[in-house]
Each structure stands twice: as C-alpha cells, then as structure tokens.
Amino acid sequence: MLSLYLKTYNVLSALAWAVILFKDIIDRIPGQLYHVGYSAFPHKLLTEVQTANAIFEIAHALVGIVPSPLGSLLLQFFARLVITLGISYYVPASPGNYSMAYSALVAAWSITEIIRYSFYAAKQNRHVPRVLLWLRYLSFIVLYPLGLLSEPVVVYKTLGHVSGGYYYFLALGMLMYVPGFVFLYLYMWKQRKKYLVAKSE
C-alpha cells in the first residue's frame, strides 16, 4: 500500500511539473507572456505544486517513509518557497516574476523534478532504466547552476518593490543562495559518486 502511494505521488508530481514546464514554454510565445492560465497572481500553478511538494516531502521525511535527509529538503524548499510564496504570491507586481530569469529557473526546476519524480516512481517498480539513472545523477551538473544564476536575479528584481524587514529578509536570502547552492551541489555530487560511479565500476 505504501509503495502504491509513493508511486502515485511521484507520478502525479512528475506530471504536474511537466505541465508547469509546458505552460512556461507556451507563455514565452510572443504576445502570450505570462497570461495563459494565470489568475490571482503569476505562476499560480508553480506556487501551488511547489508548496504541496514541500509539505508532503517534509512530512514523508519526518515520519520516515522515505530516506531523504531533512536538512537538504528544508534548504531546497526554503529557497524555492522564497521565490514562489515570497515573491510570486506576496509580491505579484515584481518584475522578477516576468523576467527571463524566472523562466530559466522554471525550466531548471521543472526538468530537475520531472527527472527526480520519474526516477522515484521507477524505483517503486524496482526497475530504473539506465538512462533515467544517468539523468538523475548527471543533469544536476547543469541544472543546479542554472537555478543559482536565475533565482538571485528574481529576488534582486523584487527588492525595489518591498520595504522594511521584508526587504532585508529577501536581501539576506539572496546572499544565502551561494552557500546553499554549494551544500546542495556537493550533496548531489556525493550521491552521483555513490549511485552512478559505483555502479559503473
């Protein structure tokens, strides 16, 4: 039953991120920039999916049904929720929401998550295709730096639209992207060595 639940969760999450990626591509068609399917605030679907993923996966880690390290989960989700809830939802007028940097981070996040959730779903079937294994532990080499280059730009473009304590919160968060990136990047590099290099030897 647990295996079925996790497989369903991962398949639905992969599909949701595929829709997010598709919407972002469509929204980049001239004349359609960020007007397709949005209501209330920009990137609504992305914000909802990312928030749901954060809640579910932190809960999964806390109750021990998945072996994900809580520290790396909290760091990654905090960085993403600053963008989605902290900017798209809370500061919808920010030009960062409509920048190429936002589109780049959506691409980086979406491709990463499509691969990750597909990988986890395949693991529930006890068979991970070789190509998916390689994508899981190699794609981050390009996608993580793309996120690093994009996310602080979105935050920076938002600073002129906030004030007071929230300004300093975002400014501090922007500065924390580099050490946070190093931590997550090194973690994934160790995972690559553990699951990919070891299997190749």
Side-chain angles (χ1 to χ4, degrees), residues 185-199:
Y185 199 78
L186 291 178
Y187 170 76
M188 283 302 299
W189 200 264
K190 290 177 182 177
Q191 294 294 98
R192 170 190 172 275
K193 184 176 181 180
K194 179 179 179 181
Y195 292 106
L196 191 60
V197 176
K199 287 180 179 293

Side-chain angles (χ1 to χ4, degrees), residues 24-57:
D24 189 68
I25 293 171
I26 294 298
D27 288 346
R28 278 296 169 185
I29 295 175
Q32 296 294 326
L33 183 60
Y34 297 120
H35 290 292
V36 179
Y38 289 120
S39 60
F41 57 92
H43 308 289
K44 188 172 187 290
L45 178 62
L46 170 64
T47 300
E48 291 171 343
V49 170
Q50 184 60 82
T51 303
N53 282 156
I55 293 170
F56 274 96
E57 290 181 38

Side-chain angles (χ1 to χ4, degrees), residues 73-95:
L73 277 179
L74 291 174
L75 180 60
Q76 183 179 49
F77 284 135
F78 174 77
R80 290 190 177 188
L81 292 176
V82 165
I83 298 288
T84 52
L85 289 176
I87 294 178
S88 293
Y89 176 76
Y90 191 67
V91 196
S94 166

Side-chain angles (χ1 to χ4, degrees), residues 4-20 45 49 53 56 113-114 117-118 121:
L4 177 60
Y5 162 73
L6 289 174
K7 181 179 178 180
T8 302
Y9 170 77
N10 287 313
V11 168
L12 291 177
S13 294
L15 290 174
W17 281 100
V19 172
I20 290 168
L45 178 62
V49 170
N53 282 156
F56 274 96
E113 299 299 47
I114 291 167
Y117 287 118
S118 298

Side-chain angles (χ1 to χ4, degrees), residues 9-192:
Y9 170 77
N10 287 313
V11 168
L12 291 177
S13 294
L15 290 174
W17 281 100
V19 172
I20 290 168
L21 179 60
F22 176 75
K23 282 174 63 65
D24 189 68
I25 293 171
I26 294 298
D27 288 346
R28 278 296 169 185
I29 295 175
Q32 296 294 326
L33 183 60
Y34 297 120
H35 290 292
V36 179
Y38 289 120
S39 60
F41 57 92
H43 308 289
K44 188 172 187 290
L45 178 62
L46 170 64
T47 300
E48 291 171 343
V49 170
Q50 184 60 82
T51 303
N53 282 156
I55 293 170
F56 274 96
E57 290 181 38
I58 290 171
H60 291 168
L62 286 173
V63 300
I65 64 174
V66 295
S68 301
L70 187 59
S72 61
L73 277 179
L74 291 174
L75 180 60
Q76 183 179 49
F77 284 135
F78 174 77
R80 290 190 177 188
L81 292 176
V82 165
I83 298 288
T84 52
L85 289 176
I87 294 178
S88 293
Y89 176 76
Y90 191 67
V91 196
S94 166
N97 286 315
Y98 309 98
S99 64
M100 285 300 297
Y102 207 115
S103 191
L105 73 83
V106 169
W109 292 2
S110 298
I111 296 170
T112 296
E113 299 299 47
I114 291 167
I115 293 170
R116 185 168 72 95
Y117 287 118
S118 298
F119 175 81
Y120 288 151
K123 283 187 70 175
Q124 295 303 315
N125 285 335
R126 302 183 185 280
H127 174 69
V128 178
R130 188 74 176 172
V131 64
L132 195 53
L133 179 68
W134 279 77
L135 284 172
R136 170 63 178 147
Y137 294 112
L138 286 177
S139 61
F140 79 93
I141 296 173
V142 174
L143 295 175
Y144 275 32
L146 178 59
L148 172 68
L149 293 173
S150 305
E151 294 167 32
V153 173
V154 173
V155 177
Y156 177 76
K157 287 178 175 289
T158 304
L159 292 178
H161 294 260
V162 296
S163 60
Y166 197 58
Y167 175 93
Y168 293 105
F169 169 76
L170 289 181
L172 178 61
M174 186 172 63
L175 295 176
M176 293 302 294
Y177 271 103
V178 172
F181 164 81
V182 171
F183 176 83
L184 291 173
Y185 199 78
L186 291 178
Y187 170 76
M188 283 302 299
W189 200 264
K190 290 177 182 177
Q191 294 294 98
R192 170 190 172 275

